[in-house]
Amino acid sequence: MRVLLVGAGGVGTAITRIAARRTFFGAMVVADHDPARAEAAVAALPGDARFTAEAVDAGDEAAVTALLRRHRCDILLNATDPRFVMPLFQAARAAGAGYVDMAMSLSRPHESRPYDECGVKLGDEQFARAADWEKEGALALVGMGVEPGLSDVFARHAADELFDDIEEIGIRDGANLTVEGHDFAPSFNIWTTIEECLNPPVVYEEGRGWFTTAPFSEPEVFDFPEGIGEVECVNVEHEEVLLVPRWVDARRVTFKYGLGREFIETLRTLSLLGLDRTAPVTVPGPDGPVAVSPRDVVAACLPDPATLGERMRGKTCAGTWVRGTKDGAPREVYLYHVVDNQWSMAEYGCQAVVWQTAVNPVVALELLAGGSWSGAGVLGPEAFPARPFLDLLTEYGSPWGMREQ
């Protein structure tokens, strides 16, 4: 397998360090708009000739297509933010390569009823092209990070092995991470965090389909395992709600994120001030007016999440809560994956959140390379058997857990 990895930020760099310990691929081209970042990711793996660095603009579909062809890559792994999903997705198809991402094409709220009805949903643009991929026998594996990704694998595992009937699947994400020296320092890409937290959250219900609610709705306190404890979680827009119902029978699907009160209020303030907007505004500059995106300014003012590992303490938990019946009796479980920042820093030099995101697409690539997973079209993680993935994740040294509720 020959892989083009686009994006050498925190997650992309973690992908290279995880993949370097595996033998399933023959080459990985690490590409970024900033050649220094790609070169740094490769330089951290001295002596491994499988890795090479390239410069590419992820938004330039033609340039990415040419890069795929020049290096004869079989698959493109997208480690950029969601703005670049469609050009990379389309470049892979144009080059005859497979495609894997960790987030899906962006949504657009309903023009008149944003908190009741869906407009353009996450992934709609990709699923609209599913027939083309299937016709060509090509695979686009979408939403294959940790959330979405591993959380969807957990949903499939629950349906296959743990339940006869599922009433509700709820993704629940929480952490007790702190960053020394920072009162506000998101542990993941702030551009993506603002996008998913301030957009109308989507809920799925059987008979009603997908619908939206107000941001931060339906707060609940969820008790996370391995010492993390109770965290307030709220509805957030996320890909799992759009993916799980396509392949897993459940009467209700939700995603709730353990943001914490202070984080929620900060995001609300950004929205109130218009600093969450992506459309450029004109501001004075030393050489005249300059057009800048308010959200890009916010991102530039905050520390790079990839650099926070040394000052970060605590654990992050991604998981899937499932309620239903088995053998006629009620059952409720929480399937989860916890990463301790101290462990991920000592073992890989990567902070916990980016490492936990990065390990899952690497596991998926190995399953695709070995033939344990195969398919054609635009498919989510739920479309594949869960057990091979969960077994291989444990082999990577990062086991998952299950708690009866």
Side-chain angles (χ1 to χ4, degrees), residues 177-178 308-316 338-347 349-354:
L177 295 167
T178 59
L308 298 176
E310 295 289 350
R311 288 169 286 170
M312 189 179 288
R313 302 289 182 273
K315 299 177 181 179
T316 183
V338 171
V339 177
D340 188 320
N341 188 74
Q342 184 176 356
W343 174 84
S344 64
M345 286 299 298
E347 188 72 14
C350 300
Q351 57 104 318
V353 177
V354 299

Side-chain angles (χ1 to χ4, degrees), residues 19-45:
R21 302 188 184 190
R22 309 301 295 185
T23 61
F24 68 88
F25 66 99
M28 182 173 288
V29 180
V30 183
D32 196 277
H33 72 97
D34 180 354
R37 293 208 308 181
E39 290 162 5
V42 172
L45 306 168

Side-chain angles (χ1 to χ4, degrees), residues 324-349:
T325 60
K326 178 68 173 177
D327 297 328
R331 190 179 195 187
E332 189 176 336
V333 304
Y334 182 58
L335 301 156
Y336 64 89
H337 184 250
V338 171
V339 177
D340 188 320
N341 188 74
Q342 184 176 356
W343 174 84
S344 64
M345 286 299 298
E347 188 72 14
Y348 287 90

